[in-house]
Amino acid sequence: MRTIHHYVNGTSYEGTSGQTQDVFCPSTGKVQAQVVLANKGDVDHAIAEAAKAQPAWGNTNPQKRIRVLNRWLQLITENMDELARTLALEHGKTFPDAKGDIQRGLDVVEFALGAPHLLKGEYSTQVGTGIDTYSMRQPLGVVAGITPFNFPAMIPLWKAGPALAAGNAMVLKPSERDPSVPVRLAELFVEAGGPQGVLQVIHGGKEAVDAILDSDIIQAVGFVGSTPIAQYIYTRAAETNKRAQCFGGAKNHAIVLPDADIEATASAIVGAAFGSAGERCMALPVVVPVGQETADKLAASIAEKARALKVGHSLDPESDYGPLVTQDSLDRVNRIVSEGVEAGATLLVDGREWTFTDKTFDGESLAEGFYAGPTFFDNVTTDMDLYTVEIFGPVLAMVRANTLEEATALATNHEYGNGVAIFTQNGGAAREFARNVQVGMVGINVPIPVPIAYHTFGGWKASGFGDLNQHGPDSFRFYTKTKTVTQAWPQAEDAGPQFTMPLMN
């Protein structure tokens, strides 16, 4: 049985806890590895070693740091297929989707190559007689990233790229469900010339998270996961005087106006709702057609397309999407689907009918895999769990609306405010919607509006805690502190002591 260790100081580290957890292949349901779990002592050790390595890295010319990151990008690209295969086999997303996971992370590292420019301060001369003022951006020191299972390459790269480019050391605690790719990314960083200890990877659960939050050395924490944990980390970080950037759950809406191209819109929604088995914070689990005719046509088209989807092994090139990450995830999805039926929603496509008992791939049975077929409900109401709860599975709920104002209010009033999309050919309606809806990221005829790397990613309301978002310029603001210097050089005549605030004149 393969064992996945921590990665500390450029080498494999067993730790001292003696605890391990199974890592499954979701496509077959079989255990494929054991990951070691850290105790507080292991985390403290990784943090202390990172603190030793950070000063030299932080004092390195930013251009030299960027050369290391550029080589890191090259190595990740050269090893793309290996990384994507590992990711697909541990998470369950398809091989092409796994490559996309990695590439979207690389996009942010590429943006971080602009660090020498992004770290520039400001300078004002002669703010007073003989007085100049300037500012400089400096690294925080040692920071931490606590990242989720659903993007085991993208989110670690979103955290590590800007943090390392800014001169920090990072202690990364990825999900223990699919931990191999983050370890491999750290290995490639050292192979690219990164100093040992500057990027540490520690596996673990709540004990490891609490050790990070309790550490006096860690200066900032970036987190992506569920809203309850995001709020917990945000609160604890405030108590221990750390910066926090915490992103939680989502319930993204797709608003469809009567003038939208129904077939094209249905295809976009099916891909966004069921891709990666719905295990995306930017998935579209709620569709809101405006008007009964629009709703009837859209429901028929979505149902037809959903029934035609192929669900299978993550490495099967014919699979539209693969399994959920764990059996617990599958059980939860099936429970919510059953409760939706009991609540009175109209079940148009029942994912529980998909069976895999007689299916194989590459000689392996899929009978024990964690598969959920696409499920589509119509006539969902806002008091149902189908609407209020983040399901994180291939379940799509249709909530009908009579007007654009009513549809906009649904997205605005929901607890979550991560992403929203509108499908229309009416530019004026789309513009007003984008201005008025109270959601952090908006797509206009774009079903998954994840911003490009040089804009920021982040939700509102219960989807995000903290005032700075991921990637883009915000990432460098988050991972640096600003120091402002006011300087005056001694003149021939000493004016003597001053007992009032200095006046710049």
Side-chain angles (χ1 to χ4, degrees):
M1 179 67 65
R2 180 170 62 96
T3 301
I4 304 164
H5 294 109
H6 314 295
Y7 189 75
V8 176
N9 289 349
T11 191
S12 179
Y13 172 61
E14 290 187 26
T16 61
S17 74
Q19 297 179 332
T20 62
Q21 179 172 310
D22 292 339
V23 177
F24 289 88
C25 173
S27 293
T28 64
K30 296 178 181 177
V31 176
Q32 60 174 316
Q34 297 275 319
V35 59
V36 299
L37 303 179
N39 57 23
K40 184 179 185 302
D42 297 328
V43 177
D44 288 345
H45 169 66
I47 293 171
E49 293 299 304
K52 294 177 184 177
Q54 187 276 326
W57 176 247
N59 286 324
T60 299
N61 182 318
Q63 287 179 278
K64 292 183 178 180
R65 292 201 301 261
I66 293 316
R67 289 175 190 142
V68 173
L69 264 65
N70 194 36
R71 178 58 181 152
W72 192 31
L73 281 167
Q74 295 172 358
L75 289 175
I76 295 171
T77 302
E78 290 170 8
N79 290 272
M80 177 73 79
D81 285 355
E82 169 215 333
L83 290 164
R85 179 182 173 85
T86 300
L87 195 159
L89 289 174
E90 286 189 359
H91 173 271
K93 64 178 65 178
T94 63
F95 181 74
D97 198 20
K99 293 181 77 170
D101 184 329
I102 299 164
Q103 185 57 56
R104 288 309 294 256
L106 292 181
D107 291 348
V108 171
V109 181
E110 287 175 347
F111 171 78
L113 298 182
H117 170 71
L118 293 162
L119 294 173
K120 288 191 305 185
E122 299 173 318
Y123 194 102
S124 297
T125 187
Q126 203 67 2
V127 298
T129 304
I131 299 175
D132 303 328
T133 298
Y134 64 93
S135 64
M136 61 180 80
R137 288 194 174 276
Q138 296 183 315
L140 299 178
V142 183
V143 299
I146 302 171
T147 58
F149 75 85
N150 61 324
F151 284 98
M154 184 181 80
I155 303 298
L157 289 170
W158 282 11
K159 301 299 184 188
L164 296 173
N168 299 284
M170 169 161 278
V171 176
L172 178 66
K173 196 218 79 68
S175 172
E176 60 276 16
R177 297 177 185 177
D178 44 11
S180 293
V181 168
V183 172
R184 186 67 181 127
L185 292 175
E187 291 173 347
L188 292 174
F189 175 74
V190 172
E191 187 177 334
Q196 296 179 5
V198 166
L199 180 55
Q200 316 274 51
V201 182
I202 287 287
H203 311 294
K206 187 176 185 298
E207 182 178 359
V209 170
D210 285 342
I212 288 171
L213 296 173
D214 290 339
S215 170
D216 293 331
I217 297 173
I218 296 293
Q219 299 298 304
V221 180
F223 170 82
V224 178
S226 69
T227 287
I229 305 303
Q231 191 162 19
Y232 170 78
I233 291 174
Y234 185 68
T235 302
R236 287 289 310 279
E239 291 173 350
T240 54
N241 199 29
K242 295 175 176 58
R243 292 189 182 185
Q245 181 191 59
C246 301
F247 297 93
K251 198 70 174 181
N252 306 322
H253 292 52
I255 313 301
V256 183
L257 298 189
D259 66 345
D261 182 322
I262 294 297
E263 289 302 309
T265 299
S267 293
I269 290 171
V270 166
F274 303 125
S276 197
E279 291 178 325
R280 295 172 177 156
C281 69
M282 289 298 288
L284 276 179
V286 178
V287 56
V288 185
V290 175
Q292 296 306 310
E293 183 178 354
T294 305
D296 291 343
K297 290 180 179 178
L298 189 63
S301 184
I302 290 175
E304 179 183 5
K305 295 177 189 302
R307 294 188 188 101
L309 292 176
K310 295 182 179 179
V311 184
H313 196 286
S314 59
L315 298 183
D316 187 343
E318 295 186 358
S319 296
D320 291 306
Y321 70 84
L324 294 165
V325 69
T326 64
Q327 182 65 47
D328 286 345
S329 297
L330 176 59
D331 293 342
R332 181 174 181 273
V333 167
N334 287 336
R335 173 180 58 78
I336 293 174
V337 170
S338 297
E339 291 172 352
V341 174
E342 294 174 4
T346 304
L347 184 58
L348 299 181
V349 182
D350 189 350
R352 298 170 299 178
E353 295 176 352
W354 264 250
T355 58
F356 296 84
T357 55
D358 59 344
K359 293 185 179 181
T360 62
F361 176 75
D362 200 22
E364 289 190 291
S365 171
L366 307 186
E368 302 301 320
F370 312 136
Y371 296 98
T375 294
F376 177 37
F377 282 96
D378 192 3
N379 298 309
V380 174
T381 57
T382 58
D383 59 339
M384 296 179 183
D385 282 353
L386 287 171
Y387 181 74
T388 60
V389 171
E390 183 183 33
I391 302 172
F392 230 56
V395 180
L396 175 61
M398 178 176 282
V399 180
R400 298 183 177 222
N402 294 315
T403 64
L404 174 57
E405 291 73 21
E406 182 184 339
T408 303
L410 287 171
T412 289
N413 295 332
H414 201 282
E415 173 188 8
Y416 297 116
N418 207 41
V420 67
I422 185 169
F423 293 87
T424 180
Q425 298 181 54
N426 186 326
R431 181 177 183 275
E432 285 305 300
F433 174 80
R435 280 171 45 83
N436 294 327
V437 70
Q438 297 300 298
V439 174
M441 291 171 283
V442 180
I444 298 174
N445 299 316
V446 175
I448 304 179
V450 177
I452 52 179
Y454 39 93
H455 285 260
T456 62
F457 177 108
W460 292 4
K461 297 178 286 189
S463 294
F465 300 85
D467 62 338
L468 291 173
N469 288 334
Q470 300 178 96
H471 64 68
D474 272 8
S475 60
F476 279 85
R477 297 186 186 103
F478 180 73
Y479 287 118
T480 59
K481 52 194 173 186
T482 301
K483 180 181 290 180
T484 304
V485 180
T486 302
Q487 65 178 10
W489 297 104
Q491 302 299 312
E493 297 179 3
D494 186 350
Q498 296 184 25
F499 300 99
T500 61
M501 287 290 290
L503 301 177
M504 301 302 178
N505 51 33

